[in-house]
Amino acid sequence: MILKNSKIYKNLVIILIMIISLNLSGCFGSKNGSDDGQKVTLNSYSLILAAGDTFLLTASYSGTDNTGFTWKSENETVATVVDGTVTAIAEGSTNIVVTASDGISKAVCKIEVSHNSVFNNSDLNYVFDLNALPEVRIDITVDQWNALLTNFDANPKNETEVKAAFKFNKNGVVDSLDEIGIRLRGNTSRKRPEGNNGEMHNSSNPDWHHAHFALKLDKYVKTNKFRGLKAINMKFFKDDVNYVREVYSYDLFRRFKVWTAPFSSYAKLTINVIGDNTPAYFGIYEMIEPVDSEYLVKRFPTDNSGNLWKCLYQQNGPADLKNNNFMSKMGLEDADTGYYPSYDLKTNKKSLDSAKTQFNTFVNELNSLSDSDFMAWVEGRIDVDLLLRATAVNVAVGMWDDYWINGNNYYFYFDSKGKSYFIPYDYDNALGTSSIVNDSGTQNPLEWGSSNDRPLINRILKIEKYKTLYKNYLMQLVADNSNLFDYSSSVNRITQWHNLINSGVINDTGDDNYISDNPASWSNKQNYRLMSSDETNNFFKVRKRTIETSCK
């Protein structure tokens, strides 16, 4: 009480005010920790890595008096850093702090180390191995092959399997199944694999054609599995003389930890119609992991009984997730009657009504909730980080036949708690093969598609923290030496894949017998190349400049 009325007390108050003022002025200095106008910048401010991954962070300083940087991880049990090289250790989050020699100027990179068992799945990594070129052989009787052709003639979009045998030979190790189902697949690209309509197999002078095939391994023997798979899709490289666009895209999803993306790789495909003098070599195919019940088990090991929807632009319009006439756009595909809903339920088909109610409620809330309520809702109902990472990859590779632009080509999964997960799908129209948009290389990644008609992405990107995160993911993808979308890493990967498959491209169909660095013949931008070093027409370089200009 004596101190309170004294001159000493007044002086102490003044000193305290001065100290607080100094501290506050420091708090409101530059975001990099310096108030002298100097700053440290990084090539990435946010990274998502898996345990074991490394990434090289590079720092720059705007001043002239810096003699070096010091690097520190705030939690070395999650990630370590040595001279800018970040090594992911275990699941969790931490910050990497880089400090200039003045001890004040700093920058911070947020590190998220994710763990999803799918990246470490030994079966998937064995089958879909981009460092190997296995051989897939189908042995089929004349009668069953002719049934496949007859089914196509009756209904090109039929989904009726015929019986065959399957062999998978990787480096001399052979897996085989005696009875599997095989059918044709594809939408506008579905083709007859031999001859013309009405013609049966010609053993002496066959007229083979490239076609997409679906292998249903457990069609006739329910216990049949190959390395944990109940099915495999075999896809020829339609309109992709570079033999790489979809393989590259799925590989990039995988590198960027989009754990819902299917696995894919290369294989040689041989079809032996039993009794022919020689089997037919169909050439290099893409093997793709189907989005089916086994896919769900691998991604959601404890919660895989939810509703899975395949979402496509169909007869009744795009799969845009708008709530106008939404109930009428959901259903079960029926190839026999030609019914193809925009939202096709793939699991729990006997519970269609309850699945439709769940999806309809989700879409109503997605479209109608106020902005103030939307934030809390979206964080509980959507894996937003997954969606933004998938969207960043999608936009980087220039895939326009997608949700954002065309309301097409994705799956949507609801777990038992009602949380939803976005699954990217069908990426052959990417990397400079352009349509609908004027130029997939220069299209603004922040205005990739409609700003009003795609509520799933439109509403999320209106939230500033999510828009910033999306931009950070784009910048991470195009960062130099990222081993992601940067030019050098991309060209190196494609070169390795071309070296792997080149000797197997020439095939008995006479189709797609060469590799060439060109977009599809119907693309509205014929100038793009993937392997060229030209700054004006290399798609990776053009896209990187566009992203950096838009996101910085």
Side-chain angles (χ1 to χ4, degrees), residues 386-417:
L386 172 70
L387 173 66
L388 292 178
R389 281 185 282 133
T391 302
V393 172
N394 178 92
V395 171
V397 301
M399 163 56 172
W400 49 268
D401 195 14
D402 63 345
Y403 168 71
W404 198 347
I405 290 179
N406 206 31
N408 200 20
N409 287 328
Y410 65 97
Y411 284 80
F412 221 62
Y413 177 66
F414 290 93
D415 67 17
S416 62
K417 302 176 185 66

Side-chain angles (χ1 to χ4, degrees), residues 32-34 36 38-40 61 98-107:
N32 297 293
S34 173
D36 60 0
Q38 312 302 332
K39 67 176 182 178
V40 177
Y61 183 67
V98 57
T99 307
S101 59
D102 62 6
I104 300 173
S105 303
K106 300 178 180 180

Side-chain angles (χ1 to χ4, degrees), residues 49-66:
L49 304 171
D53 284 356
T54 61
F55 185 90
L56 179 62
L57 286 173
T58 57
S60 302
Y61 183 67
S62 63
T64 59
D65 56 345
N66 187 49

Side-chain angles (χ1 to χ4, degrees), residues 232-274:
I232 298 176
N233 291 332
M234 304 295 297
K235 187 173 181 180
F236 77 94
F237 288 84
K238 180 181 182 294
D239 296 329
D240 182 12
V241 290
N242 225 315
Y243 272 80
V244 78
R245 283 177 166 81
E246 187 164 48
V247 170
Y248 177 96
S249 298
Y250 281 140
D251 179 66
L252 187 60
F253 279 121
R254 189 171 165 182
R255 289 170 182 268
F256 205 53
K257 313 311 172 194
V258 180
W259 51 273
T260 53
F263 279 51
S264 82
S265 61
Y266 294 101
K268 293 180 174 181
L269 176 63
T270 297
I271 297 179
N272 176 41
V273 179
I274 297 170

Side-chain angles (χ1 to χ4, degrees), residues 309 321 326 330 343 355-363 414:
W309 296 86
L321 297 177
F326 185 76
M330 290 184 284
Y343 308 94
K356 289 173 69 173
T357 297
Q358 179 191 50
F359 206 174
N360 187 60
T361 299
F362 172 89
V363 167
F414 290 93

